[in-house]
Amino acid sequence: MTFKRQLLQSVAALSVGLFLSGCGKAPPAPVAAEPAASAAAAPAPAPAAKVVTVGTDPTYAPFEFQNEKGEIVGFDIDVLTAAAHKTGLEVKFVSTPWEGAFTALAQGDRDVLVSAITITDERKQTMDFSDSYFEARQLIAVPAQSAVTKLDDLKKKKIGVQTGTTGEEVVVKLQGKTSTNIKRFESTPLALAELAAGGVDAVVADNGVVIHYLANNPNAGFKSISDAGFAPEFYGVAVKKGNAELLAQINKGLADIKADGSYQAINDKYFKQAK
């Protein structure tokens, strides 16, 4: 083999070696994949609305009564439902006899009472009241032919009242605590039924109830009489003494429905025709 041929073979071998060496180079390490972006956190579920148990005596139309389906309805029911909706409260109305309502509230069996409850200084000692949502006055119901024209004419007559109401207070003040002429009933409709039967000469009760009864019982033969001495009364929603948080929510709701016209619409629904 000539020197020149040896040289060419050496160069060729070197070239092949370099080529093979280049081909055998380890591939670059793979770039680590970026961690997948974490899925967006699902929004937390909205807290469940607080359920407030509301005691009401559904025998006081049009404020609270039972319709043909047995549902509790009325002016008070609509007002408190609308006010509660404004503040995220859920209300559950429970039939509660008037005579036991305040005890049920004090014992915690009811969170709230709404039942045409007049705000009085005496009641404020054992429960707290919302801002007033309705102004009422006492009214006298008598037979259409009665000669009664004012409260003083009833001093010696038999008068029907609902036990525990401001109507009873008015009559007791007129006739005295020991008067046997004061006939007490569990509800105003029962007192009015006694008037229709001739068992009493008159009934004294809140104007809204008397007006509603006369409007819906035109054949009863009654008329209503006001008296200049009847002071205005104000209904409020009652809560257990010291329950400031719930009271604040109710007051806010009442203020909101008065501001946006909802309250007036409810008022017109029940009382516009009676005015």
Side-chain angles (χ1 to χ4, degrees), residues 89-108:
L89 294 174
E90 181 180 336
V91 284
K92 177 184 178 183
F93 295 95
V94 180
S95 179
T96 307
W98 176 258
E99 291 184 352
F102 298 143
T103 299
L105 181 68
Q107 293 178 344

Side-chain angles (χ1 to χ4, degrees), residues 86-227:
K86 290 290 186 180
T87 56
L89 294 174
E90 181 180 336
V91 284
K92 177 184 178 183
F93 295 95
V94 180
S95 179
T96 307
W98 176 258
E99 291 184 352
F102 298 143
T103 299
L105 181 68
Q107 293 178 344
D109 296 327
R110 303 289 184 269
D111 300 312
V112 170
L113 296 179
V114 62
S115 202
I117 305 172
T118 300
I119 302 169
T120 67
D121 290 337
E122 182 180 358
R123 288 171 180 167
K124 283 181 179 179
Q125 294 177 18
T126 56
M127 65 196 77
D128 289 332
F129 282 97
S130 71
D131 297 332
S132 172
Y133 66 87
F134 187 82
E135 180 178 338
R137 291 176 185 267
Q138 293 301 301
L139 200 60
I140 304 167
V142 293
Q145 69 275 15
S146 174
V148 171
T149 60
K150 57 185 182 299
L151 179 64
D152 199 55
D153 293 338
L154 299 177
K155 273 188 176 180
K156 296 182 179 181
K157 295 188 179 295
K158 294 180 180 180
I159 308 174
V161 296
Q162 180 175 345
T163 302
T165 62
T166 47
E168 181 186 16
E169 293 176 11
V170 166
V171 174
V172 166
K173 186 176 180 181
L174 176 71
Q175 293 192 352
K177 291 182 179 180
T178 60
S179 173
T180 57
N181 281 333
I182 301 174
K183 306 300 180 183
R184 295 170 174 84
F185 299 87
E186 291 183 2
S187 71
T188 297
L190 287 176
L192 290 165
E194 186 70 5
L195 178 62
V200 294
D201 301 306
V203 169
V204 176
D206 288 2
N207 58 348
V209 178
V210 173
I211 290 171
H212 182 268
Y213 185 91
L214 268 59
N216 286 276
N217 296 275
N219 297 325
F222 297 160
K223 65 180 179 181
S224 63
I225 298 170
S226 185
D227 187 285

Side-chain angles (χ1 to χ4, degrees), residues 240-265:
K240 188 174 182 179
K241 195 73 177 175
N243 195 344
E245 180 181 354
L246 181 56
L247 190 63
Q249 288 179 287
I250 292 171
N251 278 334
K252 182 181 185 307
L254 290 173
D256 286 349
I257 65 172
K258 288 177 181 178
D260 70 6
S262 302
Y263 174 86
Q264 188 59 52

Side-chain angles (χ1 to χ4, degrees), residues 40-66:
K50 179 181 178 181
V51 179
V52 177
T53 303
V54 183
T56 188
D57 181 13
T59 62
Y60 214 64
F63 295 97
E64 38 272 324
F65 58 99
Q66 290 182 296

